[in-house]
Amino acid sequence: MQGNRTFTMIKPDAVKAGKSGLILDHIIKNGFEIRAMRLVHMNRRQAEAFYSIHKERPFFDGLVTFMSSGPAIAAILEKENAVDSYRELIGATNPANAAEGTIRKLYATSIQENAVHGSDADETAEQEGSFFFNYFERV
Ligand code: CMP
């Protein structure tokens, strides 16, 4: 049985391109409720910490540069089976492989600048949400 919360970020590419409103509308129209939301411009150390699981990957440095390049929108979303349901809504990491109608197919430009992040498991969703929102904001 899956939990009912996930964590997302609308990444700097999509915010810069003025797509935040369209993406939030897409999320809400698909039945997700926003439980917490914040505009954040991460510095390099914060972006490194958020993506520390990828620190050995060849794309890590580019990813950190990109994620600290401008403001992003961090949010906690609620819906039944939130993690899987949201991953379906956003599509594959590489927009070239993302299904028609998914957020990444519609708004992402590359495997790195892929418009949105979505947690990959309940535990990660909890951990990522607590990176940006305190206990009071998450209850
Ligand atoms: P996200 O779902 O936020 O999780 C890790 C991020 O790393 C991913 O989206 C992309 O932004 C980035 N990423 C994953 N694979 C690659 C890759 N092969 N090259 C560049 N960036 C990548």
Side-chain angles (χ1 to χ4, degrees):
M1 177 67 187
Q2 263 214 339
N4 61 357
R5 283 185 177 207
T6 190
F7 172 81
T8 188
M9 259 194 289
I10 301 177
K11 297 187 179 184
D13 59 324
V15 173
K16 197 171 178 180
K19 303 300 182 190
S20 312
L22 288 168
I23 292 172
L24 286 169
D25 188 57
H26 194 110
I27 292 169
I28 292 163
K29 285 202 172 113
N30 279 275
F32 290 87
E33 288 182 48
I34 297 168
R35 288 287 169 228
M37 187 162 70
R38 160 169 302 154
L39 188 79
V40 282
H41 187 162
M42 287 189 279
N43 63 32
R44 278 195 75 85
R45 282 173 56 193
Q46 290 166 327
E48 281 169 8
F50 182 78
Y51 278 119
S52 63
I53 192 159
H54 296 304
K55 65 176 182 291
E56 307 301 339
R57 303 285 189 95
F59 59 79
F60 183 66
D61 193 60
L63 177 62
V64 167
T65 300
F66 162 55
M67 289 303 293
S68 57
S69 68
I73 294 172
I76 293 173
L77 305 175
E78 194 165 300
K79 187 184 178 179
E80 200 175 316
N81 292 334
V83 166
D84 285 350
S85 178
Y86 191 64
R87 285 174 77 79
E88 198 180 324
L89 187 71
I90 66 180
T93 304
N94 187 346
N97 303 326
E100 286 301 326
T102 59
I103 292 176
R104 284 171 171 159
K105 185 71 176 183
L106 289 166
Y107 304 113
T109 52
S110 71
I111 191 167
Q112 178 176 271
E113 305 206 358
N114 62 355
V116 285
H117 169 78
S119 303
D120 62 3
D122 286 349
E123 304 72 49
T124 334
E126 175 62 25
Q127 191 189 337
E128 292 175 347
S130 64
F131 197 93
F132 292 97
F133 302 100
N134 66 34
Y135 177 79
F136 180 79
E137 293 166 309
R138 287 182 286 123
V139 285

